[in-house]
Structure formats: structure tokens, C-alpha cells
Amino acid sequence: MCGIIGYIGGRQIIPVLLEGLRRLEYRGYDSAGMVFLENEEIKVIKVKGSVFNLEEKVYTELPYNSKAPGLGHTRWATHGEPSENNAHPHLDCEGNLALVHNGIIENYYELKESLIKRGHNFISATDTEVIVHLIEDYVRQGLNLKTAFMKSVKKIRGSFAIALISKKDPQFIMVAREKSPLIIGLGEGENFIASDIPAILPFTKKVLFLDDGEIAILYKDRVELFNFEGEKIRKNPVCISWDLALAEKGGFPHFMLKEIYDQPEAVKHTLLGRLDLDSGEINFSKEGLTQAFLKDIEKIFIVACGTSYHAGLVGKYLIERHLKIPVEVDLASEFRYRFPLIDSKTLFIAISQSGETADTLAGLRLAKQAGARILSICNVLGSTITRESDLVLYTQAGPEISVASTKAFVTQVLIFILLVLYIKKMFYGESKKDMILTLIKLPSLLKNFTEKVHFEIKKLAERWYRIENCLFLGRNILYPIAMEGALKLKEIAYIHAEGYAAGEMKHGPIALIGENFPTVVLSAKETGIVYEKTLSNAEEVKSRRSPIIAIISENSEEFKKIAESYIEVPSTHYELLPILYVIPLQLFAYEMATLRGCDVDKPRNLAKSVTVE
């Protein structure tokens, strides 16, 4: 996920671009850059690191009073490590065109090979650079820039929001959108583009929202809109009424809530490039996951901390169920100190949102020293864990600002689902076409469910936010989700909560419960016989007068009879249960915390990335 800002008008360009980038930095923070026309030449400045680094460099190297059209970009790396070379914007061979991009180009490899054969010179490791060379290639063939741009956006596949300026055509900026956000801000004698509303709110509140498959050409005094076929279209602008300070979180009161609502988009990005819609199959081969890498694996260790540990437990259920390989899941802080039995036939899977978690990194190094093959599931390109792994599967969740992890967890679980399906097909020739179809629809399913269930969760939180204790129960693949629900409530609402295997509850925790000690029970008919056993466990709780909050699959009439409150989850595949069931628990913790007056995004004593043991 990257941030784009662009401007054409009479203002000094540098302050506009920097202000926009500051408000977009939550979208990317590993490098930043800007481009504009100065003395009829394209001027580019890029840095590795934050927008602050760019600002320092800008005011020491560039004239402050430039008023030419310009673009800014803050990057969250996907292709190519964070560096000045890989930072946006990217130029064509002749230095006539400059382009910025948010998204992933799926046919990047084939386009790059073709362009190299036709004499184009690439200087970065990014997928973005192919776009500007592709446009240049069409211009070389005699097309005007507008036609070349339109032909190019029809040829690239994937998700993209792109913006282009040209030193030969300085009177306009060209932009296009496909599956990545892009908006246009309308002013008097000036116009703006941005990835999100906060970037332009200091300048205008009149906005056009581009939809997928749309192109815009921005002049100082007008904006022209087209579809990818070149046909003109019309749109009505919207007036934004957000308070500027609030809008920094995209209109949400907290980053955590925004990130819960980001999960459908995060899932879409994690699927992108791995789910082949033509063949209906999962593919990790471009990321190096081959039969040779997995050959002769006899045992798997999954090692992580906190929320990532719970994702690892879900992974264990999936791997052992489908691949019949023994899996051990360890808290990273304990792994090294129990003398684990590791050899060259061991696969070590490290899970970390940040890629810098100290205990997980230490476990990785121990496993590597013992000869294990190292696979990491991570959200941050170029982090230490990814650099020291043999193979990395990136979650593509985008920057996660709130300390309490939400979308990182969902995408980690999704990686395990994709991994199991891919390996099962690769080694056993088994394909679950019905599951693939469900994965394609998963982002829209999550979006609809989140919006619907949030209203119900608010009512639950208003009833229970004064409690000081809560028990979460689940069985089978929902047991880790019960643990995750309890962790979230502890992290941000400061309520003592325990996540327990429902069958173990009567071996101790049942002594705690009572009238003011609610129990959240997770149960799904998709778990088979475990559904009935969880119902029996819930009856045991009910008989001790503990109020039951049931998170259940559709038409679970037996639970409705004994629960004080219940939330219904759409019926789905067994493998997808963790993703759907965690959403109401995330929202429950969030609403409880806000009602208790807690600092949701920065809970006391916690840090986003734990880099010490």
C-alpha cells in the first residue's frame, strides 16, 4: 500500500506535496519521493525512509518556489527492497515521463522481458517501472501521450492507481485507477489527486471519486474523465464534511477501527497475484515455493508471539488436517529454551507482522543453525526476519498503525489457507474449486459482514463494558480464535479475559464464572461433531448462571435457546471460519475499550513491534 499526491495549479508545489505526503504516511513509510518540472526539465528527489527524510533533503537541494505540476509518493514496498533506487517516481529511458503507482502489476515479468528486448533500460527492481516504459514504448511507435497512456492501462493487469506527468506536455496530469484507491480534489484554477481524502483536505473539500476502470486528465481549470475504452464519462463531485484532524484516520475515530474495516481490502491484496482467476488455482511459484523446497519435510515448527502465535495455531489445524504433516506451534520466547529437535528435514515457519520481533528472530536463527529450512510469513518487506529467511510469503496487509493487530492476523491466517491449498495441489493433485470460488468472493463477504455485525456488537458492548472478567471458549479451529478474542479484550480494554479450549473449562476455569462473569462461546456447525460438544460445554456454563454470548453459525437454533445474546456468522468453509469469527471479537474489544475510555490505538505498556526479548 502506497500513498500518492499530485497537484496542478498556481501554488508553490513543494509545500503542497509535502503536506499531502505527511497525511498519507500511514500508507507507506519505507521510502518517499517527489517529481515536478523545473526550468522545463523533470526534477526528481527520492529518499529511503520517512517523509521527514524527504523534507530535509528537499529544503537543502531544491528551490522552494517551483509552481509546476508535480507528484509525490510514499512507499510501502512490495517489489524491490526499500531504497532510493526503488522509491517512486520512476522515469522512462529519455527522462521525459515520470510516474508514481500504488498497487501490484501481476504481468510485470512478461512486460519487462518484452520491453527489455525492445531496448528499454530498467534501473529499479519494482513492478512500477514497467508502466512508464510501456507508455514510452507506445509513444515511440508514434502515438500521442494520451493514447499511449490509455493503451498501457488496458495492457497491464493487477491493481493500480497511477499518475503521470510529462515535460513535453506540462499542461496536464494523467491518472488511472484499477482496484486501488484514487481521488481527485477540485479547486479554483487548481486540481489535486490523492490516494485518500486527508491528503487534500487542507486545500479543498470538493472531491471526485474515481472508480475501477477510469482515467482522468487534470488541467488547472478542468478535469476530463474517461473509461479505459476512451469514452468520456461524467461524475458529480462530493463535498466532504470531515473534520481535518479526524480525517487523518480516513474518517474513523481510531486507526484500529479503520484497520478492522480495511480487512476486506487487505484480503484482496493478499490474494492478488496468488489466486489465478483463469486457472482457478493458487500459485506461489513466483515466490519460490516449489516441490524442491518442501521435499522430504517430515516435521514443521511454527514459531511466533502474541496474535501471530494464534495465527500459527490455526495453521497447525489446517496443515495437519490437509497435509498430514506433524506440526508444533511454539511461543517464540519459549522455543529456544526447550531444546527443540530440529534437523534438515524440518520446516521452520516464523510469523511476524513487523519482521523484527526479537524472540521470533532468535528462534529462526537457532533453527537455521540446526539445518532447518526457513519460511517466514511477514508484513514488512526488507525486515530482518525476511532477510534471514530462505523464503518469504508477504501478507500484503499494508501498514498497521494500531498496536493491537487486526488485519495482519487475518492475512496471516489467509496465507496459511492459501499455502495448504497450494501444497495439496502440488503434491497430491487435489484441488478445491469450490474453495477457490469462495476466496474470490471473500473480500465482499467480509465487507458486508463487518458493516452488519458492527451494529449488533455495539449493543453488546453497551450491556457489558463495565465487567472486569470474561471467559472465551472455543474448540478445534475456533480455539485459537477464542484466545485471540481474549487477548484483544486484555490489550485494549484492560479487562481480564481468558481464552480456553471449551472441553478444558471444567478442569478449572468453571470455578470462576457466575452472574457477573460472561462467557463468549464460539461454535460452528462446520466443525462437525465438535459443534455438539461445544453446545454441551455451553450448557455447563449456563447451569452455573454465567451469561452466554454466543458467536455461532447460521441457524444454530440450539445455541439461541441458551444464549443471552448471540451473533450469527455466515456459513462458510471450515478453513475460513477463523477469518469470519474473529471480526466480531475485534469489534467487541474495540467497542468495550472506547466505552471504558481507553487509548485504543496506543494501549498502555505495549509497543507495535517488540524488538527486545
Side-chain angles (χ1 to χ4, degrees), residues 1-3 21-22 24-32 47-53 73-77 82-83 259 353-356 378-381 383 397-401 407 608-609:
M1 188 191 297
C2 305
L21 290 176
R22 289 187 202 102
L24 290 171
E25 195 164 16
Y26 76 91
R27 299 181 63 85
Y29 41 77
D30 55 44
S31 58
V47 297
K48 179 181 178 181
S50 68
V51 173
F52 177 78
N53 296 350
H73 188 273
T74 181
R75 181 174 185 244
W76 189 79
S83 67
E259 287 157 10
Q353 189 282 139
S354 68
E356 303 292 344
C378 189
N379 195 39
V380 180
L381 188 78
S383 56
E400 193 177 60
I401 308 301
K407 61 180 179 174
K608 185 64 182 169
S609 179

Side-chain angles (χ1 to χ4, degrees), residues 383-425:
S383 56
T384 305
I385 285 175
T386 64
R387 293 197 305 271
E388 298 194 18
S389 299
D390 299 317
L391 191 148
V392 184
L393 302 180
Y394 287 103
T395 52
Q396 310 288 16
E400 193 177 60
I401 308 301
S402 181
V403 168
S405 181
T406 51
K407 61 180 179 174
F409 172 79
V410 163
T411 51
Q412 288 165 356
V413 170
L414 181 58
I415 287 288
F416 274 115
I417 295 169
L418 298 177
L419 185 64
V420 165
L421 292 175
Y422 177 61
I423 295 174
K424 196 170 186 179
K425 171 70 174 178

Side-chain angles (χ1 to χ4, degrees), residues 233-254:
I233 58 176
R234 292 181 61 84
K235 282 180 175 287
N236 294 320
V238 175
C239 187
I240 303 299
S241 59
W242 290 348
D243 172 77
L244 186 58
L246 186 63
E248 291 179 348
K249 300 177 178 70
F252 291 90
H254 299 96

